[in-house]
Structure formats: structure tokens, C-alpha cells
């Protein structure tokens, strides 16, 4: 029998050792990925955020050629914005820009969707050939592609005029495409669509490969045709991807500048002047950098409004679908 003074036969439990401090090397390893991307983040912020902030500040100042040389810009508040918004030419350019953006985006999305569906149906070798052509088209530099289109539609030695004359359209002999506003506008639309369809087609094709084949087999058994299959299976499954590609194409088309400036510089008679070209003309040709900055800021606001409208509609549709389920 154990007494009060007898020893406890159970071994004494040692206290847990204190938790060692996290090694310094481990902390550095955790920070290493952030240190690697820090230069890129800082460089991107400097190249994007600083010009945007400087542009906004300049839009509230009186900033002409004199202020550019000697400095000392004065603060004028919203006077530049009032001058721009009261100018009828600005609203003409806004309407033309919206028409330009809408036409290009619709054509790009329709053609890109058709090409992606075609890729999904092609055999392996033919698909590789078509995708190679799309990648090469997408990789062509903007200025190089624009120069090629200038050669194609050249009045005397252009391939397009030569081909049309060979087909019996003698009225196009020595036809000056770039002297007519509608013709120049159509050429620029063709150029931008040609450059943009590969991105949309390849992105949508990547989405098509993720759709289960069983869904198409079920639709085929139910007697659905090609249009019904796309409307009831393909588009609902890729709704978010369609919205994303559409948003990216809106950004790409609305901010197009190099193609328009190289081919027509906004002409003839302002027929191809969009907001980016209009802002550049005011700033560089008239040396009114304050008004050009105001136009640029308004362009960004219009673009943000279009993107917010598109994304809100996408999220609302997804919410309705989730509630229906």
C-alpha cells in the first residue's frame, strides 16, 4: 500500500520544450517570391500609374507649349473639361468612336466564334495548320501589318485594284481608296478585325476543349441542331469567357491609334478620327496639352463605363443562373 510519503511510481512528464523561433532563412524563403516580382510590379506601376496621374493633373491646368518649355502651369479647375464638352466636334468624335468600337467588336466576336468552332471540328493536321496561320497573323507587328495594307490598297500598283479590274470592275482602275472617308474607314476596320480575330478564336477554342463531350451527345440525341447546340450548350458553358474576350476587344478597339494614324492620321476630312487620334491631334498639332489630357481622361472614363456595364451584365446573368439552379 502506498502511503502519503511514498514515491509516485509514474514517470514524471517533462515540460514541452519552448517552440524554437522561426529560422531567418525560412522567413527569407517566404519573402523570396515577392522580391522576385517586386521589380516588375514597381516598373509597371511607374509606367502605367504615373502617366495616368500626370495626365489627370495636367487636365486641370493651363498647359500649353510655353508651360512645356518654361514650366509654371497654373491651375484652372474644370475649365478644360467644360471647353471640351461644349465643343460639338468632340461629340461627333465620340459617336464615331462608339460606332468604330461596336462594329469592330461585333465582327471580331462573330468571326472569332466561327473560327473557334471550325477549329473544334477540324482534324489534327488541318487544325495545326490553321492555328499556325492564326498565331503568325497575331504575331505580326502592328506597323508592319498596317504597311502591308497600305500596299494592298495602293491606287496604281495595289493588288486589290488589280484584282478588281481583272474581275471586270473597271471603275476601280487607279481607285484612290484613302481619298474617300468611307473606304478608308472600311480598310481600317478590315485591318483591325484581321489582327484581332486570332486572339479571340484561339481563346474561345481553348474554352471549347473544356466542355464535356457528353453534353453535345445529349443535345444531339434530343434532336438539337447546330444553332440550338451553340445557344443551349456552348454559349452558357463559356459565358464568362465570352464576356472576358469581349471586354478585352472593347479595350483593344477603342484605344486603337497606330493603325489609324499611320494610314490616314484621322482623315480624310476627319472620317477616321477617333478619341485617341483626336486627343493626339489637339496635344501635338495644336500644342494644347491641357485639352488633350482632358480628352484622354474622358476617353478612359468612357472605356471604364463600357467595361463596368459589360461585367455587371455578366455577373447578373450568372446570378440568375445560380438562383435558377
Amino acid at each position: 500500500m502506498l502511503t502519503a510519503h511514498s514515491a509516485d511510481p509514474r514517470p514524471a512528464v517533462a515540460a514541452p520544450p519552448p517552440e524554437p523561433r522561426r529560422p531567418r532563412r525560412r522567413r527569407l524563403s517566404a519573402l523570396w517570391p515577392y522580391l522576385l516580382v517586386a521589380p516588375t510590379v514597381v516598373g509597371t506601376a511607374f509606367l502605367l500609374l504615373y502617366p495616368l496621374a500626370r495626365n489627370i493633373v495636367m487636365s486641370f491646368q493651363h498647359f500649353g507649349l510655353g508651360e512645356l518649355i518654361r514650366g509654371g502651369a497654373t491651375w484652372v479647375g474644370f475649365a478644360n473639361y467644360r471647353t471640351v464638352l461644349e465643343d460639338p466636334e468632340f461629340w461627333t468624335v465620340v459617336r464615331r468612336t462608339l460606332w468604330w468600337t461596336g462594329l469592330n467588336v461585333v465582327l471580331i466576336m462573330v468571326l472569332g466564334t466561327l473560327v473557334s468552332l471550325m477549329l473544334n471540328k477540324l482534324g489534327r493536321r488541318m487544325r495545326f495548320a490553321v492555328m499556325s496561320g492564326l498565331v503568325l497573323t497575331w504575331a505580326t507587328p502592328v506597323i508592319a501589318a498596317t504597311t502591308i495594307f497600305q500596299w494592298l490598297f495602293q491606287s496604281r500598283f495595289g493588288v486589290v485594284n488589280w484584282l478588281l479590274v481583272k474581275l471586270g470592275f473597271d471603275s476601280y482602275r487607279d481607285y484612290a481608296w484613302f481619298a474617300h472617308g468611307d473606304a478608308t474607314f472600311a480598310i481600317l476596320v478590315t485591318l483591325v478585325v484581321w489582327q484581332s480575330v486570332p486572339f479571340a478564336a484561339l481563346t474561345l477554342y481553348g474554352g471549347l476543349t473544356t466542355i464535356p463531350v457528353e453534353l453535345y451527345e445529349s443535345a444531339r440525341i434530343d434532336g438539337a441542331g447546330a444553332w440550338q447546340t451553340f445557344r443551349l450548350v456552348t454559349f452558357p458553358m463559356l459565358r464568362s469567357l465570352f464576356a472576358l474576350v469581349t471586354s478585352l476587344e472593347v479595350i483593344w478597339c477603342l484605344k486603337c491609334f497606330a493603325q489609324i494614324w499611320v494610314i490616314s492620321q484621322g482623315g480624310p476630312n476627319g472620317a477616321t478620327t477617333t478619341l485617341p487620334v483626336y486627343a493626339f491631334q489637339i496635344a501635338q498639332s495644336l500644342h494644347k496639352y491641357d485639352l488633350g489630357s482632358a480628352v484622354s481622361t474622358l476617353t478612359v472614363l468612357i472605356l471604364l463605363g463600357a467595361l463596368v456595364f459589360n461585367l455587371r451584365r455578366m455577373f447578373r446573368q450568372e446570378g440568375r443562373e445560380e438562383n435558377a439552379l
Side-chain angles (χ1 to χ4, degrees):
M1 179 178 293
L2 297 176
T3 62
H5 300 282
S6 61
D8 191 349
R10 293 174 298 178
V13 179
E19 185 177 352
R21 294 182 178 180
R22 191 176 184 181
R24 187 174 184 180
R25 182 176 300 177
R26 184 177 299 178
R27 291 198 299 269
L28 291 176
S29 299
L31 293 176
W32 185 243
Y34 300 98
L35 296 176
L36 290 176
V37 301
T40 303
V41 173
V42 173
T44 302
F46 178 77
L47 294 175
L48 295 180
L49 297 181
Y50 173 75
L52 178 61
R54 186 71 182 90
N55 184 81
I56 294 175
V57 171
M58 194 182 301
S59 67
F60 290 99
Q61 297 175 332
H62 176 70
F63 202 102
L65 184 60
E67 287 74 18
L68 179 65
I69 297 174
R70 64 176 181 268
T74 58
W75 192 265
V76 296
F78 289 93
N80 293 323
Y81 290 95
R82 285 195 297 268
T83 301
V84 170
L85 295 176
E86 292 173 357
D87 187 1
E89 185 179 1
F90 170 77
W91 295 107
T92 302
V93 174
V94 169
R95 289 190 293 269
R96 186 183 299 115
T97 303
L98 295 178
W99 165 240
W100 158 268
T101 304
L103 179 61
N104 278 287
V105 170
V106 169
L107 292 176
I108 291 167
M109 293 306 299
V110 171
L111 294 177
T113 302
L114 293 176
V115 173
S116 65
L117 293 174
M118 180 188 69
L119 288 173
N120 203 33
K121 297 294 183 181
L122 291 177
R124 183 177 179 180
R125 293 183 178 179
M126 187 58 68
R127 183 188 302 120
F128 176 78
V130 175
M131 292 180 68
S132 299
L134 292 173
V135 171
L136 290 175
T137 302
W138 189 21
T140 303
V142 172
I143 301 300
T146 305
T147 304
I148 292 172
F149 267 70
Q150 283 181 308
W151 292 343
L152 289 175
F153 290 92
Q154 208 271 339
S155 59
R156 297 197 62 183
F157 304 104
V159 176
V160 175
N161 283 356
W162 173 82
L163 182 60
L164 290 174
V165 171
K166 288 294 184 181
L167 293 175
F169 299 96
D170 292 332
S171 60
Y172 285 95
R173 187 182 302 275
D174 297 337
Y175 181 77
W177 291 88
F178 301 111
H180 301 82
D182 293 338
T184 306
F185 192 91
I187 293 171
L188 286 169
V189 169
T190 305
L191 171 60
V192 172
V193 171
W194 177 77
Q195 290 179 306
S196 304
V197 163
F199 170 76
L202 294 175
T203 305
L204 294 176
Y205 170 71
L208 287 174
T209 59
T210 64
I211 300 178
V213 182
E214 292 79 8
L215 296 178
Y216 290 111
E217 293 178 352
S218 300
R220 192 179 304 110
I221 293 174
D222 294 337
W227 168 246
Q228 291 177 326
T229 302
F230 176 80
R231 183 172 60 88
L232 299 176
V233 177
T234 304
F235 185 75
M237 293 292 295
L238 301 181
R239 189 186 303 276
S240 299
L241 185 60
F242 272 100
L244 176 61
V245 175
T246 301
S247 299
L248 294 176
E249 294 301 340
V250 168
I251 297 173
W252 163 257
C253 295
L254 195 145
K255 71 181 185 65
C256 272
F257 173 80
Q259 299 92 327
I260 301 175
W261 188 256
V262 170
I263 286 182
S264 65
Q265 296 186 0
N269 298 323
T272 57
T273 300
T274 58
L275 282 173
V277 178
Y278 183 62
F280 185 81
Q281 289 174 341
I282 293 176
Q284 296 298 324
S285 300
L286 303 179
H287 301 294
K288 297 180 179 180
Y289 304 105
D290 45 8
L291 297 181
S293 299
V295 174
S296 300
T297 304
L298 292 173
T299 302
V300 173
L301 293 177
I302 292 173
L303 180 59
L304 288 176
L307 294 178
V308 168
F309 173 78
N310 185 38
L311 294 176
R312 285 187 62 186
R313 186 177 61 178
M314 179 188 72
F315 290 137
R316 285 179 181 176
Q317 186 64 33
E318 290 182 351
R320 292 173 184 172
E321 293 178 355
E322 292 177 357
N323 292 333
L325 295 176

